[in-house]
Amino acid sequence: MPTPFRTLSTAEELEGALARSAAGPIVIFKHSPTCGISAQAFESISEWLAATAPEADFFVLPVRTSRALSTALAQKFGIRHESPQALVIDRGEVVWHGSHFRATAGSIAAALDQLAGATEALESASRSG
């Protein structure tokens, strides 16, 4: 099955992904294929993405081959590196993150739903104010 994720392997690709968050949320999944928990989470999220169309761009950062990039991301946002780890980023800011058993399709979906609701409320308030 083809992956719905775009792979991040260079600093330029990471900066491009973060720049995309200005237009809408992105999700970065830090993945280690040698970790059973990470492999299970990656498969679950991939299946969810194949069945739905969330309003976000999804990226995978393979931590075994891109350790420096993973470290740079952790330092940028002040969030300790873990794997698996999912970060929901909107307008250049991490609005939700979860690691290990919290990095699930359900948790990401809930974070995106909450973000969409907050954005909708903000836009509604600005139209009526």
Side-chain angles (χ1 to χ4, degrees), residues 75-87:
Q75 290 172 343
K76 178 172 182 64
F77 292 113
I79 297 171
R80 185 178 81 186
H81 162 76
E82 296 185 273
S83 175
Q85 185 175 56
L87 297 94

Side-chain angles (χ1 to χ4, degrees), residues 5 29-32 35-49 58 60 83-86 98-106 108:
F5 291 93
F29 182 73
K30 291 170 127 185
H31 175 46
S32 174
C35 169
I37 297 168
S38 188
Q40 189 174 36
F42 183 77
E43 182 177 331
S44 172
I45 295 166
S46 294
E47 289 173 358
W48 170 65
L49 288 174
F58 282 74
V60 63
S83 175
Q85 185 175 56
S99 301
H100 298 105
F101 293 106
R102 288 189 59 228
T104 65
I108 294 167

Side-chain angles (χ1 to χ4, degrees), residues 2-85:
T3 179
F5 291 93
R6 291 184 210 136
T7 301
L8 299 174
S9 54
T10 68
E12 294 78 22
E13 290 170 346
L14 175 59
E15 288 306 315
L18 295 175
R20 290 179 73 90
S21 77
I26 68 166
V27 177
I28 297 177
F29 182 73
K30 291 170 127 185
H31 175 46
S32 174
T34 60
C35 169
I37 297 168
S38 188
Q40 189 174 36
F42 183 77
E43 182 177 331
S44 172
I45 295 166
S46 294
E47 289 173 358
W48 170 65
L49 288 174
T52 62
E55 294 291 322
D57 290 326
F58 282 74
F59 299 89
V60 63
L61 195 162
V63 298
R64 309 253 315 141
T65 57
S66 301
R67 177 60 99 174
L69 199 58
S70 178
T71 300
L73 185 63
Q75 290 172 343
K76 178 172 182 64
F77 292 113
I79 297 171
R80 185 178 81 186
H81 162 76
E82 296 185 273
S83 175
Q85 185 175 56

